[in-house]
Amino acid sequence: MNRIRKFTNFSVRDLVASAAPTILVIAAVCLAAYLIVDPAPPRKVVLGTGQDNSAYDVFGNRYAAALKRDGIAVTLQGSHGSRENLRLLKEGKVDIAFMQSGTTDDAAAEREGLVSLGSLFTEPVWLFLRERPGQPAQPPITQLTQLRGLKINIGAKGSGAPRLFRQVLDLNGVAPSELQVSQLDNTPATVELLEGRIDGLVFAAAPDDQLIQMLLQTPGIYLFDFTQAEAYARRLPFLTHVTLPRGIVDLGRDLPARDYHLIAPTATLVARDDLHPALIELFVQAAAKIHGGAGWFSQQGQFPSARYTEIPVAGEAAKFYKDGAPFLQRYMSFWLANFLDRMWVLVVALGALILPLSKVVPPLYVWRIRSRIYRWYGQLRTVEQALEDAPRDAPEAQRVAVARAQLARLNDIEDRVNQISVPLSFADDLYGLRSHIQFVRQRILSQTPGLAQENTVIVE
């Protein structure tokens, strides 16, 4: 008895087989695009900071904590300050670093492949002087020309303060050789000042610096007032005139007891121009959270900014300052948004590719199922051809033998056709094939009467 297979509503296997070429083409395009499009951002970055406990060091730790939340490990590379950070950037030992405005210019930065991520905060020039024992009536120094002959620490080697203060002295017609200059790190210089072994020291740092906070409240130490601050800012464009407000240090003790005029470069984030664009976006977003509040010298939202920097601002940073965070990063995690942002070209390409390929799959599906039926028509035609090729004048016994052989072959075909499983929507094709098998059988029997008497067709 021939066993007839049941019909199915839908053939998942045939659909998968039909769609396989399309899926492979799309996968190949995806892989090629992934390799060609910008690579994913690295998960590690080195940030050049400053001396221990300096503002750069404190802010560096805050950036590391902010980027850690997005899966980026920030390694902090300490230094003496801006000049050393510039050298580390040039040598490729750090990827991004804090730097004072005025440390380099736009032409040099372009030659060295450096870009700015914007200015972060002002770094006033703090000139702290000590009162001289035994001379309480001596008025405080009000002009930089009065520093001649004094022992002044102008900042650590590798920081931006020495170069900046030399420029300021030059505007006053004072040569560094007219001072007893030292270049100790900030902490030992502060100790020297407190011990009375030097007369003054220069910082160029944010007020968050712990040493500045301490010196502003130390008896016997006073802050130099740059009363000509506006003139300095006009002569040196990278400087701005800022005011230390009365009482900002301690309102209860009224420290300081009056406003002080200061000159200030700005701290900027400077990166190598090969830093991944996604990391630039991440750093400027962190900068907005860290430096966006009001401070001693800035209003709410004044920083970070594309202003106050002589180094060309990176395109991704400039776009952030104009439009805010990228659209996708406002609603998705950094890595998912970055992946979709890098793959937008692929998404467009896939959209153009899937549409025509999707039109190929249904015909392939139909062809695959119908080919399972239609290929048997070739077998039926072979049976008929064998009958036609038999000589008509051949003996009856020979013709019966040929017909018997083809009838056996036809029975085998029918048995195998009955094992075919096709979806219900193709049942008419299968029934058509089975009726055509019966038609060929009847033709064989009609042409060989002797064989017809030997066979009885049993319909089960």
Side-chain angles (χ1 to χ4, degrees), residues 323-344:
D323 303 322
F327 177 78
L328 293 178
Q329 292 189 28
R330 300 174 193 175
Y331 307 101
M332 301 179 183
S333 67
F334 167 72
W335 288 101
L336 178 58
N338 176 258
F339 176 79
L340 294 177
D341 188 55
R342 291 187 299 113
M343 293 293 110
W344 71 268

Side-chain angles (χ1 to χ4, degrees), residues 46-52 54-57 59-60 75-101 103-104 112-115 120-121 123 156-161 204 267-272 311:
V46 181
L47 171 63
T49 56
Q51 301 178 47
D52 290 342
S54 66
Y56 286 175
D57 181 50
F59 284 127
T75 300
L76 303 182
Q77 175 62 58
S79 71
H80 286 95
S82 296
R83 299 296 296 177
E84 186 173 353
N85 282 345
L86 177 61
R87 177 180 62 80
L88 293 173
L89 281 167
K90 291 178 179 179
E91 295 175 355
K93 295 181 179 178
V94 299
D95 304 299
I96 186 170
F98 294 106
M99 193 180 298
Q100 279 179 7
S101 59
T103 303
T104 185
E112 299 295 340
L114 303 178
V115 293
L120 309 176
F121 52 87
E123 290 190 292
K157 294 179 180 179
S159 68
T268 61
L269 267 178
V270 180
R272 296 171 56 85
I311 300 175

Side-chain angles (χ1 to χ4, degrees), residues 88-158:
L88 293 173
L89 281 167
K90 291 178 179 179
E91 295 175 355
K93 295 181 179 178
V94 299
D95 304 299
I96 186 170
F98 294 106
M99 193 180 298
Q100 279 179 7
S101 59
T103 303
T104 185
D105 55 38
D106 56 349
E110 188 173 355
R111 287 196 305 271
E112 299 295 340
L114 303 178
V115 293
S116 171
L117 274 62
S119 53
L120 309 176
F121 52 87
T122 54
E123 290 190 292
V125 176
W126 309 85
L127 173 56
F128 289 103
L129 300 164
R130 68 179 179 87
E131 297 174 355
R132 299 185 215 182
Q135 298 177 323
Q138 183 177 357
I141 292 175
T142 58
Q143 297 290 328
L144 292 183
T145 54
Q146 297 173 261
L147 296 180
R148 289 187 174 98
L150 298 184
K151 298 178 181 179
I152 305 295
N153 189 84
I154 62 173
K157 294 179 180 179

Side-chain angles (χ1 to χ4, degrees), residues 34-351:
Y34 184 82
L35 296 176
I36 294 173
V37 176
D38 289 338
R43 291 184 175 270
K44 295 181 179 180
V45 63
V46 181
L47 171 63
T49 56
Q51 301 178 47
D52 290 342
N53 299 316
S54 66
Y56 286 175
D57 181 50
V58 172
F59 284 127
N61 282 286
R62 294 181 66 182
Y63 276 93
L67 268 68
K68 184 179 181 180
R69 289 192 288 269
D70 289 304
I72 305 295
V74 179
T75 300
L76 303 182
Q77 175 62 58
S79 71
H80 286 95
S82 296
R83 299 296 296 177
E84 186 173 353
N85 282 345
L86 177 61
R87 177 180 62 80
L88 293 173
L89 281 167
K90 291 178 179 179
E91 295 175 355
K93 295 181 179 178
V94 299
D95 304 299
I96 186 170
F98 294 106
M99 193 180 298
Q100 279 179 7
S101 59
T103 303
T104 185
D105 55 38
D106 56 349
E110 188 173 355
R111 287 196 305 271
E112 299 295 340
L114 303 178
V115 293
S116 171
L117 274 62
S119 53
L120 309 176
F121 52 87
T122 54
E123 290 190 292
V125 176
W126 309 85
L127 173 56
F128 289 103
L129 300 164
R130 68 179 179 87
E131 297 174 355
R132 299 185 215 182
Q135 298 177 323
Q138 183 177 357
I141 292 175
T142 58
Q143 297 290 328
L144 292 183
T145 54
Q146 297 173 261
L147 296 180
R148 289 187 174 98
L150 298 184
K151 298 178 181 179
I152 305 295
N153 189 84
I154 62 173
K157 294 179 180 179
S159 68
R163 180 174 183 268
L164 173 58
F165 196 64
R166 287 189 178 101
Q167 290 176 286
V168 171
L169 289 176
D170 184 62
L171 291 177
N172 287 272
V174 178
S177 58
E178 298 180 75
L179 282 64
Q180 299 181 52
V181 171
S182 62
Q183 289 189 261
L184 300 174
D185 287 353
N186 292 342
T187 299
T190 301
V191 173
E192 292 294 294
L193 179 66
L194 297 177
E195 294 293 330
R197 289 189 283 268
I198 61 174
D199 300 301
L201 59 80
V202 176
F203 286 106
D208 306 76
D209 192 299
Q210 295 178 8
L211 294 177
I212 291 174
Q213 293 278 344
M214 180 195 72
L215 290 172
L216 285 171
Q217 303 179 64
T218 300
I221 303 296
Y222 67 94
L223 179 65
F224 179 79
D225 189 0
F226 285 87
T227 55
Q228 300 168 304
E230 190 61 36
Y232 284 110
R234 302 290 179 89
R235 297 291 297 273
L236 298 175
F238 59 87
L239 294 178
T240 56
H241 173 198
V242 297
T243 301
L244 182 69
R246 176 177 177 175
I248 190 68
V249 177
D250 191 320
L251 285 168
R253 292 187 293 162
D254 195 25
L255 292 177
R258 61 182 178 86
D259 290 349
Y260 278 80
H261 300 280
L262 301 175
I263 54 175
T266 56
T268 61
L269 267 178
V270 180
R272 296 171 56 85
D273 58 9
D274 58 359
L275 183 65
H276 196 286
L279 289 183
I280 292 179
E281 293 174 350
L282 210 53
F283 266 99
V284 293
Q285 290 177 49
K289 296 176 182 177
I290 294 172
H291 308 289
W296 282 16
F297 303 105
S298 61
Q299 298 176 349
Q300 180 82 22
Q302 182 178 351
F303 291 103
S305 170
R307 301 173 57 196
Y308 316 115
T309 173
E310 66 276 19
I311 300 175
V313 177
E316 293 79 11
K319 185 176 180 181
F320 172 83
Y321 296 128
K322 180 181 179 181
D323 303 322
F327 177 78
L328 293 178
Q329 292 189 28
R330 300 174 193 175
Y331 307 101
M332 301 179 183
S333 67
F334 167 72
W335 288 101
L336 178 58
N338 176 258
F339 176 79
L340 294 177
D341 188 55
R342 291 187 299 113
M343 293 293 110
W344 71 268
V345 176
L346 174 61
V347 172
V348 173
L350 284 179

